Amino acid sequence: MKRNRLSSRKRISADATELGRLAIGLAESGSKLEDTFWQARLAELLDRLFHDGAEDDLTAALDRLFDTHPMGHDDLADIIESHAESCILLDQGREFDLLLFAVPVLAWSRFSIPAAAIPRNLLQTIKVHLGAHVLAAGARLALADYLYSPDQLPHSFVDTWQLMRRLGAAALTGDDLNVDASAMPETNRFLSDTRYLLGALTVPRGKPLFRWNEADKTTREGALKEWLKQGAPCLEPLLTGCAYQALLADAYHAACRAADSASRPYSLNASVDFLRTALGEAVSDNLRAVVGAFHDKRLEEYRIGFGPADSDVVYHGVVWPLLGIEDETTDVAGEIESVLRKAGIREVVVLDQQFPYEFCDDCGAPLYPSVEGDTVHAEMPEQDDAPSQTLH
């Protein structure tokens, strides 16, 4: 995925240098035919680097282009992502398109949000609904039998590529991927978080991948409606004690970006619901939300502190990170205020000042803005089973 990168002036390898040269050529191309020329050479080099596990060359090229040629950076990031999540497989003399996909699920709970193995019978039920409502007719499908947290997703382009190949091989043989849960890292506990179903689909070369790719079939919106109606309820056994909202399956990187975007308003709404549950209607009706912009070298994120309207205490906090091209010129604060008011928060204070990008020295938690313009720790009134006071 495209990401902010730290400046790097170190000497880079010949392969990383060549990646940069080819990406600049693609960015400066003046025709579709020339695009094809550069893309073919990038694809050839990337195939070798992925097979060699050369993650350092991929990141070094992106880092250098981030500093020197932003358009080249974005074009290279796009093609690296594409190669990490898709390829052409040969099986019994026939070519198949392979795509790694993800199904994000937004969830919140006062208790722990599970990240766990998926029982075989439930996995098969989920596959039936994906095949019926989301994937194109004739697509072959394999799922990983694990519900992933963000901390457990592949950490690099090469890791993603390797998972794609393993799931693709399973899809061709009609199997699923068994995940070794003991090798999974622990996931952090948040009130609101995202979980992911990961899978791969294969279709004969050039055939439709999803329902909305087929002629005279449903739209993306129609597929989502049917998935939410028929498929999403199957996820309930995996998310005991959670409220959740399933999103539509999509190519891996696109689905992750969609989840990042959707999780921000979802976290605010979850926060309001949580406070109403924890504090009771009488107290929660008197809530105030304070919105502050937090800067490091530039604007990094907004933080929202919730507390009683008659005090400067902050009960609970939410982090709203910037995504993509968002910056100081984007009306992110207005979007946050709109979500809060729709959620029923009557008093929303948007502070003009720039807050330092600080965290608690003792526990590392974010500090949130108070109505007085200070940064403070979020502290709920004493209660049983209180979750973390940060939303992911």
Side-chain angles (χ1 to χ4, degrees):
M1 286 174 273
K2 294 173 190 165
R3 63 203 74 185
N4 295 328
R5 298 183 174 276
L6 297 176
S7 176
S8 174
R9 297 295 181 183
K10 296 179 181 179
R11 184 181 300 276
I12 62 176
S13 72
D15 284 334
T17 300
E18 180 66 0
L19 275 178
R21 184 187 76 83
L22 295 173
I24 290 172
L26 177 60
E28 296 178 351
S29 166
S31 69
K32 183 65 175 178
L33 193 60
E34 189 182 355
D35 286 351
T36 303
F37 171 86
W38 293 115
Q39 289 167 351
R41 278 147 185 80
L42 275 166
E44 182 179 356
L45 178 53
L46 286 171
D47 283 343
R48 176 169 63 81
L49 294 177
F50 274 114
H51 277 92
D52 292 345
E55 183 74 25
D56 289 347
D57 288 333
L58 304 178
T59 55
L62 287 169
D63 287 344
R64 182 62 59 88
L65 288 173
F66 185 80
D67 288 337
T68 61
H69 202 293
M71 288 181 61
H73 169 274
D74 287 352
D75 282 347
L76 182 58
D78 283 339
I79 199 167
I80 289 175
E81 287 182 2
S82 175
H83 273 66
E85 70 186 13
S86 64
C87 70
I88 300 170
L89 289 180
L90 191 65
D91 183 55
Q92 298 181 354
R94 298 179 61 197
E95 287 188 336
F96 290 85
D97 289 327
L98 164 63
L99 179 68
L100 177 69
F101 69 87
V103 184
V105 185
L106 310 178
W108 79 269
S109 178
R110 296 185 64 186
F111 311 102
S112 179
I113 301 173
I118 304 173
R120 181 174 179 78
N121 61 338
L122 181 55
L123 196 72
Q124 295 307 308
T125 302
I126 294 170
K127 288 177 67 175
V128 167
H129 285 290
L130 285 171
H133 309 301
V134 179
L135 306 185
R140 286 192 267 181
L141 165 67
L143 289 178
D145 64 352
Y146 194 85
L147 187 66
Y148 291 77
S149 76
D151 304 315
Q152 297 167 334
L153 294 175
H155 292 298
S156 69
F157 294 119
V158 170
D159 290 343
T160 304
W161 179 84
Q162 291 172 342
L163 179 60
M164 178 263 294
R165 303 286 295 195
R166 292 168 62 201
L167 276 164
L172 286 176
T173 58
D175 298 321
D176 292 303
L177 182 65
N178 180 251
V179 176
D180 181 4
S182 66
M184 283 291 178
E186 291 291 328
T187 186
N188 291 317
R189 184 182 177 190
F190 297 101
L191 176 64
S192 175
D193 207 352
T194 308
R195 294 293 180 263
Y196 296 87
L197 293 168
L198 298 186
L201 65 94
T202 62
V203 296
R205 182 83 173 117
K207 295 297 183 180
L209 298 168
F210 297 104
R211 295 276 292 175
W212 53 89
N213 300 147
E214 298 176 300
D216 301 323
K217 293 292 183 178
T218 187
T219 62
R220 289 179 68 99
E221 292 75 17
L224 175 60
K225 181 179 178 180
E226 289 303 309
W227 167 243
L228 293 178
K229 179 181 177 182
Q230 305 290 340
C234 299
L235 304 174
E236 187 172 353
L238 299 174
L239 295 164
T240 303
C242 301
Y244 68 92
Q245 175 187 333
L247 304 183
L248 188 61
D250 209 340
Y252 176 75
H253 291 97
C256 289
R257 275 192 284 269
D260 287 343
S261 180
S263 67
R264 300 185 303 178
Y266 183 86
S267 292
L268 286 183
N269 284 298
S271 185
V272 174
D273 288 343
F274 161 68
L275 290 168
R276 285 182 177 140
T277 301
L279 301 175
E281 292 287 342
V283 177
S284 61
D285 283 347
N286 193 39
L287 284 177
R288 173 172 55 207
V290 180
V291 182
F294 284 71
H295 294 248
D296 191 6
K297 294 180 180 178
R298 62 182 185 86
L299 176 60
E300 295 289 341
E301 62 193 23
Y302 286 84
R303 297 180 188 174
I304 301 95
F306 291 89
D310 56 359
S311 171
D312 62 355
V313 172
V314 174
Y315 285 162
H316 190 76
V318 180
V319 174
W320 181 294
L322 298 189
L323 300 175
I325 60 173
E326 293 175 342
D327 57 20
E328 291 88 344
T329 66
T330 312
D331 188 21
V332 177
E335 181 181 357
I336 293 171
E337 181 175 1
S338 176
V339 172
L340 289 168
R341 293 199 183 281
K342 287 180 181 178
I345 301 297
R346 298 190 185 96
E347 185 173 350
V348 180
V349 178
V350 180
L351 300 176
D352 292 332
Q353 70 192 78
Q354 293 186 6
F355 290 92
Y357 190 61
E358 292 181 339
F359 300 81
C360 175
D361 292 334
D362 295 327
C363 69
L367 300 176
Y368 295 97
S370 73
V371 72
E372 300 296 330
D374 300 317
T375 55
V376 299
H377 218 298
E379 295 288 350
M380 283 288 289
E382 287 190 15
Q383 56 181 314
D384 294 331
D385 300 320
S388 164
Q389 301 309 308
T390 299
L391 279 86
H392 196 271

